[in-house]
Amino acid sequence: MRHREEIILQITDAIEGELRRLELWELHTPAPEALLSEQPFCFDTLTFTQWLQWIFLVRVRKTITNGLPLPTRSDIHPLAEHVFADLDFDSAALLKSIKRFDRAISQSPDDTGSP
């Protein structure tokens, strides 16, 4: 595994850790049809934190594990800021990890610097 993929996996672990710390991590999978939404971020069937847990983290990890190419761009942070703006929890660390993910994905795959 290349350095970039290792960094991205560390960031996904940090996002999961923050979701758990904030007690936003769910133990029960949403209904299968909720996971099949064709809307961006499954907005019609999932909350943003559910999307992070059940779609985003799963897909990123599966992509890396299967050796598939990662996307070359991510802009999740602005949406996360918007979604978390009116919620009653300290989202600073979660937002920081999401921003780190966006930066790490947007780096050249051959860039060995840290995000």
Side-chain angles (χ1 to χ4, degrees):
M1 184 179 318
R2 293 185 354 206
H3 183 67
R4 178 173 178 248
E5 285 81 4
E6 289 173 8
I7 290 170
I8 291 169
L9 283 177
Q10 290 171 1
I11 296 168
T12 61
D13 289 346
I15 292 170
E16 178 179 335
E18 278 304 301
L19 289 171
R20 288 179 183 275
R21 185 185 70 78
L22 294 166
E23 298 180 2
L24 298 170
W25 192 261
E26 297 184 2
L27 299 178
H28 303 287
T29 309
E33 57 272 9
L35 301 173
L36 298 175
S37 170
E38 294 184 14
Q39 295 295 312
F41 307 99
C42 298
F43 266 131
D44 59 335
T45 58
L46 301 175
T47 66
F48 182 70
T49 57
Q50 287 174 319
W51 176 83
L52 283 172
Q53 178 180 349
W54 300 107
I55 305 290
F56 172 74
L57 292 175
V58 171
R59 285 185 183 168
V60 170
R61 290 171 172 161
K62 184 183 261 188
T63 297
I64 291 172
T65 301
N66 292 332
L68 300 172
L70 287 163
T72 58
R73 183 177 167 109
S74 176
D75 290 313
I76 300 169
H77 184 261
L79 176 60
E81 278 188 315
H82 175 73
V83 169
F84 298 152
D86 296 326
L87 298 179
D88 190 27
F89 61 85
D90 180 9
S91 61
L94 180 55
L95 286 168
K96 182 178 179 182
S97 292
I98 292 170
K99 189 173 201 170
R100 285 184 64 222
F101 178 85
D102 283 353
R103 284 194 320 249
I105 283 291
S106 300
Q107 287 183 337
S108 165
D110 296 324
D111 185 358
T112 57
S114 63

